[in-house]
Amino acid sequence: GFNHVTSSSKFKCTVVGPRCLLACLANNTPVPELPYPMYTAAMKGMIVTISGLEKAEKEKFKQLVEKMAGIYSNAFHDGVTHLVAATARSQKYEVAVGKEIPCMLPRWVEEVWKVSNTEMVTAVDPRFSSHRCPALLGVTVSVSQLNRADKELLKKSVETHGGVYSGVLEMDKTTVLVCTSPAGDKYSHAKKWNIPCVTSQWVFDCIEKGYCLQTDSYRVDRGKANSSTPTKQDQTMAGLAEVSMCSTILNPDETVGTRLVEETMNCTNMGLEGGLVATIKGKTTADWLAELELGKVKKAGSFLDGCKVYLSGFSDPEQVQLTRVLK
């Protein structure tokens, strides 16, 4: 409707609405000289780019930005002040995070436009901070090798922060696979389809930081190719060799209810009759605790990482000592 006065070489007028003019007068700032009508000044001085929306949606938000005295840019350049994103998995998003540029949801633009029609506000008003992009916006997470409790925790965390939790791995839909080790059918297919395979820590670190992180440092197969360098797991296993253990392992189809584990350790078949068994016999709990040195435990490595250990029947000093060792 105003093209004949904003684009014409004869007129070249700046078209300003009452609210935009009042805001400029109140802040003692000049009216922006932009080639389109400005109805409010809520986005004055801002340069906004958009990622992840269809062409028609982009045009809609472009017009809203311009109506609020903002500038819309198709490209991401050094002058961009805000990114409006529909997903956290785009090149523009990654650049914005690297430059610490706010990433906002599309509804941010709509809400600012709505409020600015009745109030004198700016788009950076704290009331609009709830429209920042959730850390896992548009991210579809599949899982493997986790127990039910961990899956439920992960599902809740992902969905609370804008992501989608899926029980199946899909080539064109899954963004990342969360697993504990580089093994299994899901892992194999994820590798084949170039889907990043990460530990669950990636999810929780994304949430803590407030934005979607790169997956490289969280990959479960990171460093796998470099077999000449001892990994943390190798060092832990080497440390375990210094600790004498005798354990009972159940087959997958056996349960504690169908099999009794004898309290007496029978290590005869291991050829340790004269060694470990002789050492164990006659020793009390107090004797074992007296020989339990924190230095040796640390040297053995974090072989109980992820385990839940319950202490029962120990005195207070004994519980304190065992708690330190377990930590």
Side-chain angles (χ1 to χ4, degrees):
F2 293 98
N3 286 342
H4 63 291
V5 292
T6 58
S7 303
S8 170
S9 58
K10 184 177 180 180
F11 294 105
K12 280 285 181 182
C13 294
T14 299
V15 179
V16 185
R19 288 207 164 271
C20 181
L21 184 60
L22 286 171
C24 292
L25 289 171
N27 295 313
N28 195 27
T29 56
V31 174
E33 294 184 16
L34 296 172
Y36 39 77
M38 295 166 284
Y39 298 92
T40 79
M43 289 193 172
K44 181 173 174 285
M46 297 181 187
I47 302 177
V48 180
T49 190
I50 295 175
S51 174
L53 295 180
E54 295 294 332
K55 187 176 180 179
E57 285 288 289
K58 280 187 178 182
E59 182 60 30
K60 168 190 168 182
F61 288 110
K62 172 182 180 289
Q63 291 181 11
L64 287 179
V65 168
E66 292 176 348
K67 286 180 179 180
M68 292 184 279
I71 298 172
Y72 172 79
S73 173
N74 265 322
F76 199 118
H77 55 78
D78 290 340
V80 168
T81 60
H82 290 76
L83 170 68
V84 173
T87 176
R89 303 299 291 176
S90 71
Q91 288 185 336
K92 281 188 177 180
Y93 179 90
E94 291 175 3
V95 174
V97 167
K99 292 179 175 291
E100 297 184 352
I101 289 171
C103 300
M104 312 300 291
L105 292 167
R107 67 170 180 261
W108 169 65
V109 179
E110 294 175 318
E111 185 65 19
V112 174
W113 169 245
K114 178 182 176 182
V115 176
S116 68
N117 275 282
T118 56
E119 299 177 43
M120 200 173 293
V121 296
T122 65
V124 293
D125 193 299
R127 76 172 83 180
F128 302 120
S129 61
S130 60
H131 300 300
R132 278 184 173 270
C133 288
L136 299 174
L137 178 67
V139 175
T140 300
V141 178
S142 184
V143 300
S144 179
Q145 305 162 2
L146 301 183
N147 60 43
R148 181 177 294 180
D150 289 340
K151 284 181 179 179
E152 284 300 319
L153 174 61
L154 202 70
K155 181 176 186 291
K156 184 177 180 181
S157 300
V158 168
E159 293 177 345
T160 301
H161 292 86
V164 176
Y165 177 92
S166 174
V168 297
L169 186 76
E170 297 180 81
M171 182 171 64
D172 297 324
K173 292 184 179 180
T174 305
T175 309
V176 293
L177 172 67
V178 173
C179 53
T180 58
S181 62
D185 289 341
K186 275 191 176 181
Y187 172 80
S188 299
H189 281 86
K191 290 291 289 180
K192 180 181 177 182
W193 297 335
N194 292 319
I195 297 172
C197 303
V198 301
T199 66
S200 58
Q201 194 61 43
W202 176 80
V203 172
F204 301 119
D205 282 357
C206 286
I207 293 170
E208 183 182 349
K209 295 284 187 182
Y211 53 82
C212 194
L213 297 167
Q214 295 289 320
T215 58
D216 294 347
S217 58
Y218 296 89
R219 290 179 181 258
V220 294
D221 55 354
R222 190 165 61 100
K224 184 181 177 184
N226 189 5
S227 58
S228 62
T229 304
T231 63
K232 183 178 180 181
Q233 184 177 0
D234 296 331
Q235 293 165 359
T236 301
M237 295 305 293
L240 284 173
E242 300 181 12
V243 182
S244 298
M245 294 187 300
C246 186
S247 61
T248 303
I249 302 173
L250 300 181
N251 290 326
D253 58 342
E254 291 179 316
T255 64
V256 176
T258 59
R259 177 165 181 170
L260 298 175
V261 180
E262 296 182 1
E263 292 183 5
T264 305
M265 292 171 139
N266 182 8
C267 298
T268 307
N269 295 332
M270 297 171 65
L272 299 175
E273 186 68 45
L276 183 59
V277 174
T279 304
I280 292 173
K281 286 181 179 178
K283 283 199 173 185
T284 64
T285 300
D287 293 331
W288 283 112
L289 289 175
E291 295 180 9
L292 196 57
E293 296 179 15
L294 199 57
K296 290 183 178 179
V297 173
K298 287 181 178 179
K299 192 176 180 182
S302 305
F303 56 89
L304 290 180
D305 185 32
C307 296
K308 292 182 179 179
V309 180
Y310 298 88
L311 301 178
S312 176
F314 296 100
S315 65
D316 289 343
E318 290 172 345
Q319 283 198 30
V320 170
Q321 182 184 1
L322 284 170
T323 300
R324 287 182 62 203
V325 168
L326 290 170
K327 284 184 178 179

